[in-house]
């Protein structure tokens, strides 16, 4: 893809819940920030709020996204600076309000203000197509659609692609469409070979959008989420490398999908398999 311009709005979205979307939002935001770009990640999941837990800053939340939208606090009061990455900030969601607390006008005001300070604005969307999800994707320039390699997850993601093509600011104003990318999570080559899981090619054939990355099934992702550390900061794991490669591809680098080929078995492994 072409080199990404500044003040870019990215929505991380999915049709189905539980696919690793918030983990992906945290990991991609941390990966972009680690490259030196000023990055903010916004939690649009009003009423639930998980991003601050994954980012390890839940005890530092005083004001939230809804407080700013409704004029109860200013943006600087609500933004939380990450302790590990100089360029990364979090705008948490509210746990005590519902999705109706957000409005297109309020979200637009926040996005425009953030564009003055940040190069990348990551919108962590709730799953599905309810109001919070529509708000998260409305002002997006890019969409990273997160899906698992299973039929129901892919089918729901296809529905999200329809929404991105018809119910965003770009679509309504006849602008260049939102650029869509596929991020496939919890992928296991062994399960694909057994026929228990869709292959990458299967998913690409159904969704027909460019493949940004494939995140292998990994205990490192669960450990990172439980410890409040984006998995991209766990430099030893395959999942971390896969996320960082996805970030590199998004930023215009030509990086091969190294983990899609089957691992070669040694002599004794072949003998006893």
């Amino acid at each position: 893809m072409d080199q990404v311009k500044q003040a870019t709005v990215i929505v991380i979205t999915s049709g189905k819940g539980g696919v690793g979307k918030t983990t992906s939002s945290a990991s991609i935001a941390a990966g972009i920030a680690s490259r030196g770009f000023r990055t903010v990640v916004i939690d649009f999941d009003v009423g639930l709020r998980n991003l601050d837990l994954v980012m390890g800053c839940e005890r530092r939340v005083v004001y939230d996204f809804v407080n700013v939208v409704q004029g109860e606090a200013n943006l600087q009061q609500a933004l939380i600076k990450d302790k590990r990455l100089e360029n990364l900030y979090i705008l948490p969601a509210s746990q005590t309000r519902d999705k109706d607390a957000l409005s297109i006008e309020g979200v637009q005001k926040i996005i425009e203000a953030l564009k003055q300070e940040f190069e990348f604005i990551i919108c962590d969307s709730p799953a599905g197509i309810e109001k919070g999800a529509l708000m998260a994707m409305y002002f997006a320039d890019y969409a990273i659609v997160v899906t698992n390699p299973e039929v129901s997850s892919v089918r729901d993601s296809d529905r999200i692609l329809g929404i991105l093509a018809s119910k965003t600011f770009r679509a309504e104003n006849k602008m260049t469409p939102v650029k869509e990318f596929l991020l496939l999570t919890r992928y296991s080559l062994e399960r694909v070979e057994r026929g228990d899981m869709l292959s990458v090619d299967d998913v690409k054939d159904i969704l027909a959008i460019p493949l940004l990355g494939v995140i292998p099934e990994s205990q490192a992702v669960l450990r990172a989420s439980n410890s409040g550390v984006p998995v991209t900061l766990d430099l030893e794991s395959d999942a971390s490398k896969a996320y960082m490669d996805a970030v590199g591809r998004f930023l215009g680098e030509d990086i091969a999908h190294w983990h899609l080929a089957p691992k070669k078995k040694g002599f004794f492994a072949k003998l006893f398999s």
Side-chain angles (χ1 to χ4, degrees), residues 89-210:
Y89 289 76
I90 302 98
L91 182 56
S94 171
Q95 280 185 314
T96 58
R97 312 289 182 93
D98 59 31
K99 306 293 191 297
D100 291 332
L102 296 179
S103 66
I104 288 291
E105 296 76 18
V107 172
Q108 183 174 27
K109 184 177 179 181
I110 301 301
I111 295 289
E112 291 304 319
L114 290 171
K115 282 184 176 182
Q116 304 307 309
E117 296 189 44
F118 295 95
E119 295 167 277
F120 288 90
I121 301 165
I122 313 290
C123 301
D124 179 27
S125 170
I129 56 172
E130 45 79 35
K131 185 174 181 180
L134 295 175
M135 292 285 180
M137 68 178 72
Y138 189 75
F139 294 103
D141 302 309
Y142 294 83
I144 297 175
V145 181
V146 183
T147 187
N148 290 161
E150 58 181 50
V151 173
S152 63
S153 180
V154 175
R155 180 193 61 201
D156 290 347
S157 292
D158 204 19
R159 191 177 183 191
I160 290 296
L161 295 178
I163 300 294
L164 287 165
S166 60
K167 290 191 175 182
T168 61
F169 181 85
R170 286 178 169 272
E172 291 177 359
N173 290 275
K174 299 180 181 179
M175 298 168 65
T176 305
V178 175
K179 292 187 178 181
E180 303 154 339
F181 294 96
L182 169 65
L183 186 68
L184 194 57
T185 54
R186 296 178 182 166
Y187 191 75
S188 167
L189 192 60
E190 291 76 13
R191 292 178 65 189
V192 171
E193 291 174 339
R194 292 199 306 266
D196 297 336
M197 181 178 280
L198 295 176
S199 70
V200 171
D201 287 339
D202 291 334
V203 179
K204 286 171 64 181
D205 287 345
I206 296 168
L207 297 181
I209 58 175

Side-chain angles (χ1 to χ4, degrees), residues 77-97:
Q77 288 176 294
L79 284 171
I80 300 173
K81 188 177 186 300
D82 187 82
K83 290 183 176 180
R84 297 152 300 210
L85 293 168
E86 181 70 23
N87 295 307
L88 182 59
Y89 289 76
I90 302 98
L91 182 56
S94 171
Q95 280 185 314
T96 58
R97 312 289 182 93

